[in-house]
mmCIF file of all heavy atoms in Angstrom:
data_model
loop_
_atom_site.group_PDB
_atom_site.id
_atom_site.type_symbol
_atom_site.label_atom_id
_atom_site.label_comp_id
_atom_site.label_asym_id
_atom_site.label_seq_id
_atom_site.Cartn_x
_atom_site.Cartn_y
_atom_site.Cartn_z
ATOM 1 N N ALA C 19 0.833 -1.191 0.000
ATOM 2 C CA ALA C 19 0.000 0.000 0.000
ATOM 3 C C ALA C 19 0.874 1.250 0.000
ATOM 4 O O ALA C 19 1.880 1.313 0.708
ATOM 5 C CB ALA C 19 -0.924 -0.002 1.210
ATOM 6 N N GLY C 20 0.478 2.220 -0.811
ATOM 7 C CA GLY C 20 1.247 3.448 -0.935
ATOM 8 C C GLY C 20 2.239 3.415 -2.080
ATOM 9 O O GLY C 20 2.794 4.456 -2.458
ATOM 10 N N GLY C 21 2.438 2.244 -2.644
ATOM 11 C CA GLY C 21 3.375 2.094 -3.731
ATOM 12 C C GLY C 21 2.782 2.457 -5.075
ATOM 13 O O GLY C 21 1.632 2.876 -5.174
ATOM 14 N N SER C 22 3.578 2.277 -6.117
ATOM 15 C CA SER C 22 3.164 2.621 -7.467
ATOM 16 C C SER C 22 3.385 1.464 -8.423
ATOM 17 O O SER C 22 4.218 0.588 -8.185
ATOM 18 C CB SER C 22 3.948 3.837 -7.981
ATOM 19 O OG SER C 22 3.704 4.982 -7.200
ATOM 20 N N LEU C 23 2.639 1.490 -9.502
ATOM 21 C CA LEU C 23 2.740 0.463 -10.518
ATOM 22 C C LEU C 23 2.286 1.072 -11.837
ATOM 23 O O LEU C 23 1.381 1.913 -11.851
ATOM 24 C CB LEU C 23 1.850 -0.723 -10.148
ATOM 25 C CG LEU C 23 2.196 -2.119 -10.669
ATOM 26 C CD1 LEU C 23 3.582 -2.546 -10.194
ATOM 27 C CD2 LEU C 23 1.145 -3.113 -10.192
ATOM 28 N N ARG C 24 2.903 0.668 -12.929
ATOM 29 C CA ARG C 24 2.481 1.135 -14.243
ATOM 30 C C ARG C 24 2.087 -0.047 -15.104
ATOM 31 O O ARG C 24 2.896 -0.946 -15.347
ATOM 32 C CB ARG C 24 3.575 1.936 -14.947
ATOM 33 C CG ARG C 24 3.070 2.602 -16.241
ATOM 34 C CD ARG C 24 4.140 3.370 -16.977
ATOM 35 N NE ARG C 24 5.071 2.478 -17.670
ATOM 36 C CZ ARG C 24 5.893 2.860 -18.640
ATOM 37 N NH1 ARG C 24 5.905 4.130 -19.039
ATOM 38 N NH2 ARG C 24 6.717 1.990 -19.202
ATOM 39 N N LEU C 25 0.861 -0.040 -15.571
ATOM 40 C CA LEU C 25 0.365 -1.064 -16.451
ATOM 41 C C LEU C 25 0.514 -0.617 -17.898
ATOM 42 O O LEU C 25 0.372 0.561 -18.210
ATOM 43 C CB LEU C 25 -1.112 -1.368 -16.175
ATOM 44 C CG LEU C 25 -1.487 -1.735 -14.738
ATOM 45 C CD1 LEU C 25 -2.974 -2.077 -14.678
ATOM 46 C CD2 LEU C 25 -0.639 -2.889 -14.232
ATOM 47 N N SER C 26 0.781 -1.569 -18.763
ATOM 48 C CA SER C 26 0.895 -1.288 -20.183
ATOM 49 C C SER C 26 -0.047 -2.193 -20.958
ATOM 50 O O SER C 26 -0.330 -3.314 -20.538
ATOM 51 C CB SER C 26 2.327 -1.522 -20.676
ATOM 52 O OG SER C 26 3.236 -0.650 -20.037
ATOM 53 N N CYS C 27 -0.516 -1.706 -22.077
ATOM 54 C CA CYS C 27 -1.385 -2.477 -22.956
ATOM 55 C C CYS C 27 -0.896 -2.280 -24.372
ATOM 56 O O CYS C 27 -1.012 -1.182 -24.929
ATOM 57 C CB CYS C 27 -2.836 -2.013 -22.813
ATOM 58 S SG CYS C 27 -3.971 -2.732 -24.026
ATOM 59 N N ALA C 28 -0.344 -3.333 -24.940
ATOM 60 C CA ALA C 28 0.140 -3.282 -26.310
ATOM 61 C C ALA C 28 -0.985 -3.669 -27.251
ATOM 62 O O ALA C 28 -1.551 -4.757 -27.133
ATOM 63 C CB ALA C 28 1.329 -4.220 -26.483
ATOM 64 N N ALA C 29 -1.309 -2.775 -28.162
ATOM 65 C CA ALA C 29 -2.402 -3.008 -29.099
ATOM 66 C C ALA C 29 -1.875 -3.322 -30.488
ATOM 67 O O ALA C 29 -0.909 -2.729 -30.953
ATOM 68 C CB ALA C 29 -3.314 -1.784 -29.160
ATOM 69 N N SER C 30 -2.532 -4.247 -31.145
ATOM 70 C CA SER C 30 -2.205 -4.573 -32.525
ATOM 71 C C SER C 30 -3.497 -4.752 -33.307
ATOM 72 O O SER C 30 -4.519 -5.165 -32.744
ATOM 73 C CB SER C 30 -1.351 -5.842 -32.610
ATOM 74 O OG SER C 30 -2.053 -6.966 -32.105
ATOM 75 N N GLY C 31 -3.452 -4.441 -34.585
ATOM 76 C CA GLY C 31 -4.627 -4.580 -35.424
ATOM 77 C C GLY C 31 -5.663 -3.490 -35.224
ATOM 78 O O GLY C 31 -6.764 -3.575 -35.776
ATOM 79 N N LEU C 32 -5.321 -2.475 -34.453
ATOM 80 C CA LEU C 32 -6.235 -1.363 -34.195
ATOM 81 C C LEU C 32 -5.837 -0.236 -35.141
ATOM 82 O O LEU C 32 -4.975 0.580 -34.826
ATOM 83 C CB LEU C 32 -6.148 -0.940 -32.739
ATOM 84 C CG LEU C 32 -7.255 -0.040 -32.184
ATOM 85 C CD1 LEU C 32 -8.599 -0.755 -32.257
ATOM 86 C CD2 LEU C 32 -6.939 0.344 -30.751
ATOM 87 N N THR C 33 -6.470 -0.206 -36.292
ATOM 88 C CA THR C 33 -6.086 0.732 -37.343
ATOM 89 C C THR C 33 -6.655 2.124 -37.130
ATOM 90 O O THR C 33 -7.719 2.307 -36.536
ATOM 91 C CB THR C 33 -6.532 0.210 -38.716
ATOM 92 O OG1 THR C 33 -7.954 0.045 -38.730
ATOM 93 C CG2 THR C 33 -5.882 -1.135 -39.014
ATOM 94 N N GLY C 34 -5.941 3.102 -37.650
ATOM 95 C CA GLY C 34 -6.383 4.472 -37.547
ATOM 96 C C GLY C 34 -6.271 5.016 -36.137
ATOM 97 O O GLY C 34 -5.649 4.420 -35.263
ATOM 98 N N SER C 35 -6.893 6.162 -35.923
ATOM 99 C CA SER C 35 -6.840 6.796 -34.612
ATOM 100 C C SER C 35 -8.218 7.075 -34.029
ATOM 101 O O SER C 35 -8.323 7.611 -32.926
ATOM 102 C CB SER C 35 -6.059 8.111 -34.708
ATOM 103 O OG SER C 35 -6.661 9.000 -35.622
ATOM 104 N N MET C 36 -9.255 6.701 -34.742
ATOM 105 C CA MET C 36 -10.613 6.957 -34.295
ATOM 106 C C MET C 36 -11.106 5.835 -33.380
ATOM 107 O O MET C 36 -11.974 5.039 -33.748
ATOM 108 C CB MET C 36 -11.551 7.120 -35.487
ATOM 109 C CG MET C 36 -11.178 8.256 -36.422
ATOM 110 S SD MET C 36 -11.204 9.857 -35.577
ATOM 111 C CE MET C 36 -10.706 10.943 -36.906
ATOM 112 N N HIS C 37 -10.548 5.782 -32.208
ATOM 113 C CA HIS C 37 -10.947 4.759 -31.264
ATOM 114 C C HIS C 37 -10.778 5.239 -29.829
ATOM 115 O O HIS C 37 -10.069 6.206 -29.561
ATOM 116 C CB HIS C 37 -10.135 3.472 -31.470
ATOM 117 C CG HIS C 37 -8.652 3.679 -31.405
ATOM 118 N ND1 HIS C 37 -7.875 3.875 -32.515
ATOM 119 C CD2 HIS C 37 -7.808 3.718 -30.342
ATOM 120 C CE1 HIS C 37 -6.612 4.030 -32.158
ATOM 121 N NE2 HIS C 37 -6.554 3.936 -30.838
ATOM 122 N N CYS C 38 -11.451 4.559 -28.951
ATOM 123 C CA CYS C 38 -11.335 4.811 -27.525
ATOM 124 C C CYS C 38 -10.625 3.630 -26.884
ATOM 125 O O CYS C 38 -10.731 2.498 -27.351
ATOM 126 C CB CYS C 38 -12.714 4.972 -26.876
ATOM 127 S SG CYS C 38 -13.593 6.479 -27.311
ATOM 128 N N MET C 39 -9.931 3.887 -25.813
ATOM 129 C CA MET C 39 -9.287 2.825 -25.062
ATOM 130 C C MET C 39 -9.524 3.086 -23.587
ATOM 131 O O MET C 39 -9.746 4.222 -23.173
ATOM 132 C CB MET C 39 -7.788 2.761 -25.355
ATOM 133 C CG MET C 39 -7.460 2.484 -26.811
ATOM 134 S SD MET C 39 -5.703 2.161 -27.108
ATOM 135 C CE MET C 39 -5.576 0.471 -26.474
ATOM 136 N N GLY C 40 -9.476 2.022 -22.822
ATOM 137 C CA GLY C 40 -9.730 2.196 -21.411
ATOM 138 C C GLY C 40 -9.191 1.068 -20.565
ATOM 139 O O GLY C 40 -8.754 0.036 -21.071
ATOM 140 N N TRP C 41 -9.222 1.311 -19.280
ATOM 141 C CA TRP C 41 -8.841 0.309 -18.295
ATOM 142 C C TRP C 41 -10.045 0.006 -17.420
ATOM 143 O O TRP C 41 -10.730 0.926 -16.956
ATOM 144 C CB TRP C 41 -7.691 0.790 -17.412
ATOM 145 C CG TRP C 41 -6.371 0.869 -18.118
ATOM 146 C CD1 TRP C 41 -5.794 1.964 -18.670
ATOM 147 C CD2 TRP C 41 -5.458 -0.213 -18.329
ATOM 148 N NE1 TRP C 41 -4.578 1.649 -19.213
ATOM 149 C CE2 TRP C 41 -4.349 0.324 -19.026
ATOM 150 C CE3 TRP C 41 -5.475 -1.569 -18.006
ATOM 151 C CZ2 TRP C 41 -3.250 -0.468 -19.403
ATOM 152 C CZ3 TRP C 41 -4.392 -2.361 -18.383
ATOM 153 C CH2 TRP C 41 -3.298 -1.798 -19.069
ATOM 154 N N PHE C 42 -10.283 -1.263 -17.210
ATOM 155 C CA PHE C 42 -11.338 -1.735 -16.332
ATOM 156 C C PHE C 42 -10.711 -2.668 -15.315
ATOM 157 O O PHE C 42 -9.617 -3.198 -15.534
ATOM 158 C CB PHE C 42 -12.423 -2.474 -17.117
ATOM 159 C CG PHE C 42 -13.231 -1.594 -18.030
ATOM 160 C CD1 PHE C 42 -12.700 -1.118 -19.224
ATOM 161 C CD2 PHE C 42 -14.530 -1.247 -17.696
ATOM 162 C CE1 PHE C 42 -13.441 -0.309 -20.068
ATOM 163 C CE2 PHE C 42 -15.291 -0.442 -18.536
ATOM 164 C CZ PHE C 42 -14.745 0.032 -19.716
ATOM 165 N N ARG C 43 -11.389 -2.869 -14.219
ATOM 166 C CA ARG C 43 -10.882 -3.801 -13.227
ATOM 167 C C ARG C 43 -12.023 -4.585 -12.604
ATOM 168 O O ARG C 43 -13.158 -4.126 -12.565
ATOM 169 C CB ARG C 43 -10.080 -3.085 -12.138
ATOM 170 C CG ARG C 43 -10.900 -2.171 -11.238
ATOM 171 C CD ARG C 43 -9.984 -1.411 -10.285
ATOM 172 N NE ARG C 43 -10.728 -0.561 -9.368
ATOM 173 C CZ ARG C 43 -10.155 0.286 -8.510
ATOM 174 N NH1 ARG C 43 -8.834 0.389 -8.455
ATOM 175 N NH2 ARG C 43 -10.918 1.025 -7.712
ATOM 176 N N GLN C 44 -11.693 -5.767 -12.146
ATOM 177 C CA GLN C 44 -12.675 -6.610 -11.508
ATOM 178 C C GLN C 44 -12.032 -7.306 -10.319
ATOM 179 O O GLN C 44 -11.125 -8.122 -10.483
ATOM 180 C CB GLN C 44 -13.247 -7.641 -12.477
ATOM 181 C CG GLN C 44 -14.380 -8.460 -11.899
ATOM 182 C CD GLN C 44 -15.113 -9.260 -12.960
ATOM 183 O OE1 GLN C 44 -14.566 -9.558 -14.015
ATOM 184 N NE2 GLN C 44 -16.359 -9.601 -12.682
ATOM 185 N N ALA C 45 -12.498 -6.957 -9.145
ATOM 186 C CA ALA C 45 -12.019 -7.594 -7.931
ATOM 187 C C ALA C 45 -12.776 -8.890 -7.721
ATOM 188 O O ALA C 45 -13.886 -9.071 -8.223
ATOM 189 C CB ALA C 45 -12.203 -6.667 -6.736
ATOM 190 N N SER C 46 -12.178 -9.786 -6.986
ATOM 191 C CA SER C 46 -12.795 -11.079 -6.721
ATOM 192 C C SER C 46 -14.162 -10.902 -6.077
ATOM 193 O O SER C 46 -14.303 -10.196 -5.075
ATOM 194 C CB SER C 46 -11.893 -11.910 -5.813
ATOM 195 O OG SER C 46 -12.458 -13.169 -5.535
#
């Protein structure tokens, strides 16, 4: 707790720039 973390998401096949991206999470 109190620490930091950086998540990355490498995308492929997502052509152009007309798109939205996001992060979702699901706890147990």
Side-chain angles (χ1 to χ4, degrees):
S22 298
L23 206 60
R24 188 182 75 163
L25 306 183
S26 298
C27 172
S30 62
L32 195 62
T33 60
S35 59
M36 300 299 179
H37 55 265
C38 290
M39 299 189 76
W41 289 97
F42 292 75
R43 67 185 182 186
Q44 186 168 24
S46 180

